[in-house]
Amino acid sequence: MENIQGKVQEELNNVSPEKKDEILANFSTFKSYLGDKVAIGEKLGLGEEQLAKTAEMVAGYLAKNEEPKNSEENLLQELWKSGDKDQQHALSHMLVNMVRK
């Protein structure tokens, strides 16, 4: 799992500001991007818990480093910031479920 977390962190750090803006410009694009990443994780054999932990890393990064670009992202950020670790983890599971195709 540490290797996966390292790769996720590396990808988050390497996304250009332009690409971040493109991904976060509207909620449908964000969901599609996250859904693609979940599908890749599933193909690599990641289980539900690993996918949720990865989503948790991404959500934590976004909450700390990015301003919401729309009302849906604002709601997710408010929910994230208001929850404790267990609630954030549960929200991560829900995000993974939401973006599955």
Side-chain angles (χ1 to χ4, degrees), residues 19-36 70 73 99:
K19 183 68 175 173
K20 282 181 192 175
D21 286 344
E22 180 184 324
I23 293 166
L24 298 173
N26 69 61
F27 195 61
S28 293
T29 304
F30 170 72
K31 282 180 17 181
S32 177
Y33 178 81
L34 188 57
D36 290 345
N70 52 62
E73 290 170 8
V99 300

Side-chain angles (χ1 to χ4, degrees), residues 18 37-38 49 71 74 76-77 99:
E18 295 81 16
K37 298 302 179 187
V38 167
E49 192 61 27
S71 59
N74 189 57
L76 285 174
Q77 186 179 67
V99 300

Side-chain angles (χ1 to χ4, degrees), residues 47-61:
E48 178 73 25
E49 192 61 27
Q50 291 170 314
L51 291 168
K53 286 184 179 185
T54 302
E56 195 171 342
M57 286 180 59
V58 172
Y61 173 87

Side-chain angles (χ1 to χ4, degrees), residues 6-17 19-20 61:
K7 287 181 181 182
V8 169
Q9 190 61 50
E10 183 179 328
E11 178 153 344
L12 289 171
N13 292 335
N14 289 332
V15 175
S16 72
K19 183 68 175 173
K20 282 181 192 175
Y61 173 87

Side-chain angles (χ1 to χ4, degrees), residues 65-78:
N65 299 298
E66 300 295 329
E67 285 298 315
K69 305 280 193 251
N70 52 62
S71 59
E72 295 92 346
E73 290 170 8
N74 189 57
L75 175 60
L76 285 174
Q77 186 179 67
E78 290 296 319

